[in-house]
Amino acid sequence: MTASLEQLRRCHFAVDLGAARTRVFIKGEGVVVDEPSAAAINTRTGALIAVGTLAEQMTGRTPGYIRVVRPVKGGTVIDIDMAQRMLRHLLGDKVRRALRRKPRLRAAACTPHDADPLAQRATVETLVGIGARRVELVDTLIAAAVGCGLPVERPEASMILVCGAATTQIAVLSLGSIVTAERVPVGGNAIDHSVLSYLRHHHELMLPSQSVRPLHVALRGGDLSMTGTGTTEIHGRDVATGLARSVEVDTAGLRSAISIPLTGVLDGIGKVLRDCPPDLVADLADRGIMMVGGSALMPGLDQMIREATGMPVQVAERPDIASVTGLGAMLNGQIEPMTLNPLSA
């Protein structure tokens, strides 16, 4: 954690800039923004047309002079100016006016594990551009662990798997800090791409980019486990004719398609466990892995990781907002560091 708990208690709002969604927590009000990290701009005039959900719905449906951009990639701001414009519109005039009344406005933000100084600087400049006088940075792994209720301040091992859109972060935490961690460049987008490629090559079916998530919802119920069987009907466009067509897709084929990007995640889990002290690994045999992040909601993913690792795997109650909820708990002073009383003489 870059910032101390005392510094975080002085912050007025917290931001989780993710590759898929942007979330904002305001002290005393809770989560006020939970929108896709997307903005639609007019390339002729440079005007901002839409942000958030509306901009996401425009993807693949716009004329040539309207472009949908994503200023955040893998948890890192790649377009500071566009990220600032997006945040201003997501917050709205009323919320921004209320924040500007705060003396010496302070903000907290999540950063990916081992983010380089340039990535951290981009996050700081983005929030300074919307009025923050000081920005505190918190590792996403610690914020997510706090948000899903793991006892990170205790001398016990807690393993967390943050499944983001562009990356997956794995860590073992103890005594309020990260013991060992790994960031894998595989996330929900890679899994979506594998499903799209499988349908295209094996069933000659094309899906729009926004149809993969409903496909996952249709498979809810654990059908992606190693013993799961069955089929589901998928609607799309025929590659050859361009006409609408429906096919029956078996879950075994989907399982094989998803297992390819999942191999990278499993390798990252193995590396973290190999680098972890034996005493902490013994704790994890009982406690298992906690999954958070938007991609953790994909049905059957927890079962596949459980069968591959042999460890208990749980999905947090609200895995998609765990990071910003953890930041909010720190801002509200709900997390107390473990106090060590000095031994008496």
Side-chain angles (χ1 to χ4, degrees), residues 204-249:
E204 298 182 352
L205 194 74
M206 291 182 63
L207 293 182
S209 59
Q210 298 180 22
S211 293
V212 178
R213 293 302 178 182
L215 170 64
H216 293 165
V217 173
L219 294 175
R220 189 172 300 279
D223 288 337
L224 289 181
S225 64
M226 298 301 289
T227 57
T229 58
T231 60
T232 184
E233 186 179 12
I234 306 299
H235 305 279
R237 190 182 71 179
D238 189 274
V239 173
T241 65
L243 300 176
R245 185 165 65 91
S246 300
V247 297
E248 291 287 334
V249 180

Side-chain angles (χ1 to χ4, degrees), residues 76-106:
T76 301
V77 178
I78 58 175
D79 189 339
I80 296 175
D81 179 63
M82 186 56 63
Q84 290 174 351
R85 295 173 68 183
M86 181 185 72
L87 270 177
R88 290 192 192 102
H89 283 78
L90 289 177
L91 286 171
D93 293 335
K94 182 178 179 181
V95 175
R96 285 190 290 120
R97 282 196 299 267
L99 288 176
R100 280 199 296 265
R101 297 192 196 103
K102 307 286 185 182
R104 289 195 57 83
L105 182 64
R106 290 173 176 251

Side-chain angles (χ1 to χ4, degrees), residues 329-343:
M330 297 177 190
L331 264 61
N332 290 330
Q334 298 174 3
I335 307 300
E336 293 292 338
M338 182 178 178
T339 56
L340 300 176
N341 296 322
L343 296 176

Side-chain angles (χ1 to χ4, degrees), residues 240-260:
T241 65
L243 300 176
R245 185 165 65 91
S246 300
V247 297
E248 291 287 334
V249 180
D250 62 314
T251 55
L254 289 174
R255 197 163 52 238
S256 64
I258 292 175
S259 64
I260 297 174

